[in-house]
Amino acid sequence: IDRAIQSAVSQFSVDQPRRLVDDFTWGADGHYSATMLPEASSYTLVLDAEWPVGQTPKQTVGVTVYLPEPALRLVCEQPLAAAAVVRITYTAEHVVVGGTQPRCTVPQRHLDHVGYYAAHLLCRELATQYSAERESSISADCSNTESRARNYAARSREYRAAYYAGLGLVDPLQAADRGGPGAMGVTPGASA
């Protein structure tokens, strides 16, 4: 269950990433920062970088995440001085942690939707488990197993649909099944 919840939180992070703003101190002279934004990961996108901070009109610089080994850093299109403060707007993954110091960044209105996605994953696993159980000596048990697999698969689709509907998004699998936009390389607005 914990694995399914974490997978659901990861999917939610893709569909509805957190948007954070930090005043980041550039820790070294040059194009590359010495450290990284506090909540950043390799999935982080830098949406905006204001430097110098507080100018009217607002001035921006190009900043992105640099993925060197062994640690993430930021890279700027122009060299910055150590201790320069850059106001960075960026995306971050959601966090759901229990235990002695619980933390949940999923908005309250979307907790059920994340639960629906976790339930979708669990029902899909149950459908797979029951569909693999074909060798039964009694034919009634075999048909019961097939019925279970079919029922769990249907429930999995319902939970997945509830997740995407709750977020106001189109389920990419349903769009592909129906030949909708993006299915089989079809681009919306493209002529044949």
Side-chain angles (χ1 to χ4, degrees):
I1 290 173
D2 290 342
R3 180 181 46 79
I5 291 170
Q6 287 306 315
S7 293
V9 171
S10 293
Q11 181 63 47
F12 183 71
S13 294
V14 170
D15 295 327
Q16 300 282 321
R18 288 190 298 156
R19 185 181 172 116
L20 302 173
V21 178
D22 277 320
D23 285 348
F24 179 76
T25 304
W26 209 258
D29 287 332
H31 291 277
Y32 298 94
S33 67
T35 59
M36 190 53 173
L37 296 158
E39 304 253 2
S41 70
S42 58
Y43 298 103
T44 293
L45 294 175
V46 175
L47 304 173
D48 187 59
E50 179 183 352
W51 181 81
V53 174
Q55 297 292 309
T56 304
K58 176 179 160 182
Q59 297 190 20
T60 60
V61 291
V63 173
T64 192
V65 175
Y66 179 61
L67 304 169
E69 295 296 330
L72 298 172
R73 293 189 292 168
L74 295 174
V75 61
C76 182
E77 66 185 357
Q78 67 185 64
L80 298 175
V85 175
V86 183
R87 182 165 293 151
I88 299 179
T89 304
Y90 63 103
T91 63
E93 295 179 90
H94 285 277
V95 178
V96 175
V97 179
T100 57
Q101 296 180 335
R103 181 174 179 219
C104 179
T105 63
V106 176
Q108 182 71 35
R109 69 183 184 278
H110 290 307
L111 287 175
D112 284 347
H113 305 127
V114 172
Y116 291 147
Y117 200 86
H120 147 70
L121 295 173
L122 293 170
C123 285
R124 188 178 66 182
E125 287 181 17
L126 287 169
T128 302
Q129 176 184 337
Y130 285 116
S131 69
E133 293 179 2
R134 297 277 184 204
E135 297 181 25
S136 178
S137 59
I138 302 173
S139 62
D141 286 345
C142 182
S143 64
N144 188 28
T145 298
E146 289 175 10
S147 174
R148 280 188 196 171
R150 196 170 31 256
N151 290 341
Y152 278 119
R155 184 67 54 162
S156 174
R157 285 189 299 275
E158 289 171 9
Y159 285 134
R160 183 181 171 94
Y163 167 79
Y164 281 105
L167 297 182
L169 301 173
V170 175
D171 182 346
L173 289 181
Q174 286 184 350
D177 289 344
R178 293 184 178 134
M184 309 250 293
V186 177
T187 305
S191 59

